[in-house]
Amino acid sequence: MNKKIIIRRALDLAMTILSVLLMGGLFLFPSDVVHEILGVALIFLWASHIVLNRNFYKSLFKGKYTPFRIVMTVINTALLASCVLLAVSGVMLSNHIFVFLGIEHGMGFARLAHLAASHWYYILIALHFSLHAGAVFSGLKLKEKSRAVRVIVNCAVGALSLYGLFAFVRLGLWKYMFLAQEFFFFDMQRGFALFVLDYVSIFVLFAAVGYWVNNGLLKK
């Protein structure tokens, strides 16, 4: 594995970890400034990710659009839009890092936009991962592993996906995505470990579904 791929994988892993932590809102940290710092860090990581993958944007108006390419373009465009909305609303809501800007208006819009965009963003990054899951799995050389290892991996993904579906429904993430519920609720009694399990399993669920759909499109 060359240095560029290692950098890309490390960047993707860091972005995923930050995304999971930030889904806890302001409740995981003793001060909301930590949430802001992590949010700014995620913005810089996304900027780096876009620079590294700039050829994708250069090729948007070139070549033939297959069903898979259409899906990939829609997911990536929606993800970019949610990132921009998250960044703008986050700056507007800032109580520390960007307070010097003196933004006083539009707080109601910013709060709702941040709530909806953050949950759309989380689902979209899972779908975005599914677009490149084949490359990740080939790097891990799963096909070269024993049948027992492949069965264990598939069972683990299946179990996490089932729990992810349960967690998605129980947490009511769709309510935040469509603003059917305008205030974020965090169950403090469940603790950090179960919070991570919930959101990681939701990520695995949408990544697995996306991977399955993408494979079907590629075969066609």
Side-chain angles (χ1 to χ4, degrees):
M1 190 178 293
N2 61 45
K3 291 183 178 179
K4 287 186 177 180
I5 295 178
I6 293 174
I7 292 173
R8 288 173 185 268
R9 296 291 180 266
L11 181 63
D12 293 343
L13 179 61
M15 290 165 61
T16 303
I17 292 174
L18 280 180
S19 298
V20 172
L21 292 176
L22 286 166
M23 289 306 294
L26 304 176
F27 298 95
L28 289 182
F29 315 106
S31 172
D32 58 348
V33 69
V34 179
H35 186 82
E36 291 189 24
I37 292 172
L38 294 181
V40 171
L42 184 59
I43 291 173
F44 278 109
L45 290 179
W46 264 110
S48 302
H49 181 81
I50 290 172
V51 171
L52 287 173
N53 296 277
R54 58 189 178 278
N55 288 334
F56 166 77
Y57 300 97
K58 291 180 180 179
S59 64
L60 281 176
F61 301 102
K62 300 177 182 178
K64 180 182 178 181
Y65 269 80
T66 62
F68 173 78
R69 190 182 180 191
I70 292 172
V71 170
M72 178 177 67
T73 302
V74 170
I75 290 174
N76 288 342
T77 303
L79 179 56
L80 180 60
S82 68
C83 288
V84 172
L85 188 56
L86 264 178
V88 172
S89 59
V91 169
M92 293 176 66
L93 293 170
S94 174
N95 292 319
H96 301 280
I97 297 177
F98 299 102
V99 70
F100 68 91
L101 295 175
I103 301 175
E104 299 179 355
H105 303 289
M107 291 299 132
F109 162 78
R111 183 182 62 79
L112 293 177
H114 206 71
L115 179 66
S118 61
H119 287 84
W120 276 106
Y121 161 82
Y122 194 72
I123 301 305
L124 287 166
I125 60 167
L127 295 175
H128 177 76
F129 173 81
S130 73
L131 297 171
H132 309 284
V136 174
F137 292 148
S138 64
L140 296 175
K141 298 181 179 180
L142 284 179
K143 290 184 178 180
E144 300 176 12
K145 305 296 183 182
S146 66
R147 178 179 175 81
V149 171
R150 295 197 302 271
V151 169
I152 291 172
V153 171
N154 288 330
C155 288
V157 171
L160 279 174
S161 297
L162 286 174
Y163 181 80
L165 179 60
F166 166 76
F168 181 83
V169 174
R170 184 182 60 79
L171 295 173
L173 263 63
W174 64 272
K175 296 179 182 179
Y176 303 127
M177 295 169 70
F178 296 99
L179 294 179
Q181 181 172 318
E182 299 183 357
F183 295 92
F184 181 67
F185 173 75
F186 185 85
D187 189 352
M188 302 289 288
Q189 295 181 345
R190 284 180 61 78
F192 180 75
L194 288 177
F195 157 77
V196 172
L197 176 62
D198 285 345
Y199 279 91
V200 168
S201 62
I202 290 170
F203 185 97
V204 172
L205 166 66
F206 282 92
V209 171
Y211 181 67
W212 176 72
V213 172
N214 293 333
N215 272 352
L217 292 176
L218 285 172
K219 288 178 180 178
K220 290 182 179 181

